[in-house]
């Protein structure tokens, strides 16, 4: 699914060269990263809804990963304390 964005800032690189206000079409994953990073905004309501849902999914995955890392660190600390 391609998402149409309007750039909020300029970006340039080997495969992209856009300035503020330029239209840019990309896949949902990149669109979500760009919107979340404040680089762009969705150009239409359908795209905006898809991007919002993807961002929510990304944030849920990050929260789960952070929780798992905290649990692992707590278990490691508990094991280290038990060895003393």
């Amino acid at each position: 699914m391609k998402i149409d964005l309007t750039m909020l800032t300029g970006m340039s690189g080997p495969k992209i060269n856009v300035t503020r206000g330029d239209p840019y079409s990309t896949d949902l994953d990149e669109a979500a990263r760009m919107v979340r990073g404040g680089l762009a905004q969705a150009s239409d309501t359908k795209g905006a809804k898809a991007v919002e849902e993807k961002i929510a999914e990304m944030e849920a995955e990050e929260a789960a990963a952070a929780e798992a890392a905290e649990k692992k660190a707590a278990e490691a600390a508990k094991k280290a304390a038990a060895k003393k």
Side-chain angles (χ1 to χ4, degrees):
M1 171 182 200
K2 288 289 187 179
I3 304 294
D4 294 324
L5 302 173
T6 301
M7 298 304 298
L8 299 176
T9 187
M11 285 183 11
S12 66
K15 297 182 180 182
I16 185 172
N17 185 17
V18 292
T19 60
R20 183 175 187 198
D22 281 354
Y24 182 66
S25 183
T26 189
D27 63 65
L28 181 57
D29 291 335
E30 183 180 19
R33 288 190 301 269
M34 292 175 81
V35 169
R36 188 174 182 202
L39 303 174
Q41 65 185 19
S43 298
D44 57 39
T45 55
K46 182 179 177 184
K49 183 166 177 60
V51 168
E52 285 176 21
E53 290 171 357
K54 183 63 178 180
I55 291 172
E57 179 184 317
M58 291 165 60
E59 290 174 350
E61 289 173 1
E62 289 171 0
E67 185 177 321
E70 287 176 14
K71 184 177 179 181
K72 187 175 179 179
E75 289 173 2
K78 186 176 179 181
K79 283 182 182 180
K83 287 183 179 180
K84 289 184 178 181

